[in-house]
Amino acid sequence: EVQLVESGGGLVQPGRSLRLSCAASGFTFEDYAMHWVRQVPGKGLEWVSSISWNSGSVDYADSVKGRFTISRDNAKNSLYLQMNNLRPEDTALYYCARARGAYPPNAFDLWGQGTMVTVSS
Amino acid sequence: EIVMTQSPATLSVSPGERVTLSCRASQSVSRNLAWYQQKPGQAPRLLIYGASSRATGIPARFSGLGSGTQFTLTISSLQSEDFAVYYCQQYYAGPSFGQGTKVEIK
């Protein structure tokens, strides 16, 4: 089955770190660029970060630049998001999503179910 | 940053009606525009990419038009399973989403 499964979310204090993972299966992971998108419950979608198939091109939303780092391990079919210096406004459901091609930009044709991150003292 | 503005925020419609949702970009995104459907408790689902191409498995009642800064998503005959929130997204530069249009039962 073609799917993306996120993990690593949870409750964390402001200023602390968290690492999200996304496990891909059912398709050739290294053929696709990947993204992280977040959504505050009941609100809209916000793109967070993207990475090309070979990690040669990465990009971040201004709201997370300098604090978050996207990476991937094609041998393990996995995508990661290292989140440092977390703020309450980072509280959201984090989705990983597959791009339609090897490089951004492109539409997102496969989404995981998300992992919830709550930043609170 | 390219700002995407969707209208209306909410649309109340009856099953079988034709529905048109609008999306405007703050600058030209060419045809780098996608539409997504999101139901409660579910991840978004890609409907349209390249402004007018239907994604795999998407019914023909969904169609997209536009280029540059003005785009529309039309559902020709609304089915019960189509009641959801719809988002447009530009991927011309640093992807960004519209705020969404909720299609609810009238």
Side-chain angles (χ1 to χ4, degrees):
Chain A
E1 181 184 2
V2 177
Q3 63 177 356
L4 299 169
V5 179
E6 302 93 337
S7 61
L11 174 64
V12 61
Q13 293 179 326
R16 303 298 291 265
S17 299
L18 207 58
R19 188 196 197 205
L20 305 183
S21 299
C22 172
S25 59
F27 64 97
T28 304
F29 182 67
E30 65 184 10
D31 283 350
Y32 298 91
M34 297 295 296
H35 297 260
W36 288 98
V37 177
R38 66 186 181 184
Q39 184 174 37
V40 175
K43 303 298 184 182
L45 300 166
E46 179 188 15
W47 170 77
V48 173
S49 183
S50 65
I51 187 167
S52 62
W53 72 279
N54 62 353
S55 305
S57 174
V58 298
D59 198 8
Y60 301 93
D62 287 344
S63 58
V64 307
K65 201 169 291 184
R67 300 187 298 122
F68 289 13
T69 302
I70 191 171
S71 62
R72 65 190 294 162
D73 185 337
N74 287 342
K76 295 183 177 180
N77 293 330
S78 293
L79 175 72
Y80 306 102
L81 186 67
Q82 177 67 42
M83 305 186 295
N84 297 333
N85 191 19
L86 281 160
R87 305 167 179 168
E89 54 265 36
D90 295 319
T91 295
L93 184 65
Y94 283 74
Y95 294 103
C96 70
R98 185 182 75 178
R100 288 191 62 254
Y103 289 93
N106 219 318
F108 307 162
D109 66 351
L110 179 67
W111 296 65
Q113 286 303 305
T115 186
M116 186 69 200
V117 172
T118 303
V119 184
S120 174
S121 54
Chain B
E1 179 192 354
I2 299 176
V3 177
M4 307 301 291
T5 303
Q6 292 185 240
S7 60
T10 305
L11 208 48
S12 298
V13 297
S14 301
E17 285 189 19
R18 181 183 180 89
V19 170
T20 298
L21 286 60
S22 295
C23 175
R24 185 181 77 248
S26 60
Q27 65 187 75
S28 177
V29 298
S30 186
R31 294 180 62 81
N32 295 292
L33 192 285
W35 290 94
Y36 300 86
Q37 177 194 68
Q38 188 178 33
K39 298 179 181 179
Q42 296 185 16
R45 177 175 71 144
L46 177 65
L47 299 175
I48 300 288
Y49 64 92
S52 61
S53 297
R54 274 189 302 277
T56 303
I58 301 304
R61 64 180 182 273
F62 291 92
S63 62
L65 280 178
S67 65
T69 62
Q70 299 280 354
F71 301 89
T72 58
L73 173 71
T74 297
I75 309 172
S76 60
S77 177
L78 203 69
Q79 305 298 300
S80 58
E81 62 266 30
D82 300 335
F83 292 98
V85 178
Y86 292 83
Y87 294 95
C88 64
Q89 176 215 22
Q90 66 79 20
Y91 48 92
Y92 179 79
S96 56
F97 293 88
Q99 80 279 19
T101 291
K102 182 179 181 180
V103 177
E104 63 178 24
I105 300 174
K106 188 173 184 179

